[in-house]
Amino acid sequence: MSKKGILAIVSICVVAIAAIALAVMLSITSGKLEYAQQELAATYITLQRTETAKAELEKKLTQTQSTLEETQSALEETHSELSQTQEILQNASEAARKIAAERNALQQDKSALEREKESLRAKLTEIESELQRIRVQSQRSIAAIQEKFKDTVGAVLDDAGRLRLDVKGKILFETGSAILSTEGKALLDAIAEEVLLNTNYADYAVRVEGHTDNTPIGGSELRNWNLSTERAIAAVKYLQVHAEVDAQRLAATGYAFYQPIDTADTAEAKAKNRRIEIILVPPQDFLSELLISLQKVMESVETKDSQ
């Protein structure tokens, strides 16, 4: 065989070997590629599962975060309620302490109130006894006055223990005049002797009040004021100078027609309203006011005691 033939055979063998090697390499590469594709597919599936798991985890994380926020809000609300409850408890405790202190103070004051009530009751009894004595004395005087002066002088004892003598104006003064008549002077002398200078009334104040009817004098109501006042002063002066009644006991006031005893528009009513009133005010007059005051105090004490 020639050299060229040998070289050709060798070349063919080399090509064949190269082809076989290439085929083997292709086969190996193809297997690796298929394996790689399988691995890639598996990896893709794993990735999808991972993404799904991630999404679920993120969802759970979101839910957990929401739950955490709700729990935090509830915790804060609970803390606020706890603070309010503590404040309420503190206020209640303080109120309880105050109530206990007030109760103790009331209990301590109870005995003092009882002593005060007993003292007031004793004073009331004393005052009522004195007023009763004044009433009895005045009733005797009224009986004597009515017996002596009959229809000339009216006498009454008011609720304050004051003896009121009602003298008809026409007896003391002529119509429209402030000058005492002779009959009026004699009547004042008799009243002074029987009552004003009586030792039972020696320390009584004597108020003389003048009153007119509602007919304007000389067409002017102002003159009614003048006349009522002038008549009261005339009576006071006479009692001081001629009947010798202590001036410090005497007082004169005019009321015109503003304190009528009969409001009817008749001649009889007008005659009643034209008058002089001599009022004997006992020095114990303050006892009546004191009696009213003490009764109010007693009512107040009783009210406090019942609370």
Side-chain angles (χ1 to χ4, degrees), residues 190-211:
I191 291 174
E193 181 181 357
E194 183 68 28
V195 183
L196 305 185
L197 298 178
N198 188 308
T199 55
N200 290 328
Y201 300 100
D203 54 353
Y204 278 50
V206 180
R207 292 206 323 244
V208 180
E209 299 179 353
H211 302 269

Side-chain angles (χ1 to χ4, degrees), residues 194-248:
E194 183 68 28
V195 183
L196 305 185
L197 298 178
N198 188 308
T199 55
N200 290 328
Y201 300 100
D203 54 353
Y204 278 50
V206 180
R207 292 206 323 244
V208 180
E209 299 179 353
H211 302 269
T212 68
D213 61 29
N214 60 357
T215 302
I217 299 173
S220 173
E221 295 180 355
L222 294 178
R223 295 192 63 182
N224 292 64
W225 281 107
N226 294 339
L227 181 61
S228 63
T229 304
E230 289 168 0
R231 284 180 170 180
I233 292 173
V236 163
K237 286 182 177 180
Y238 186 86
L239 291 172
Q240 176 188 352
V241 175
H242 298 280
E244 298 183 351
V245 178
D246 187 354
Q248 293 184 348

Side-chain angles (χ1 to χ4, degrees), residues 71 90 106 204 254:
T71 302
Q90 289 176 351
L106 288 174
Y204 278 50

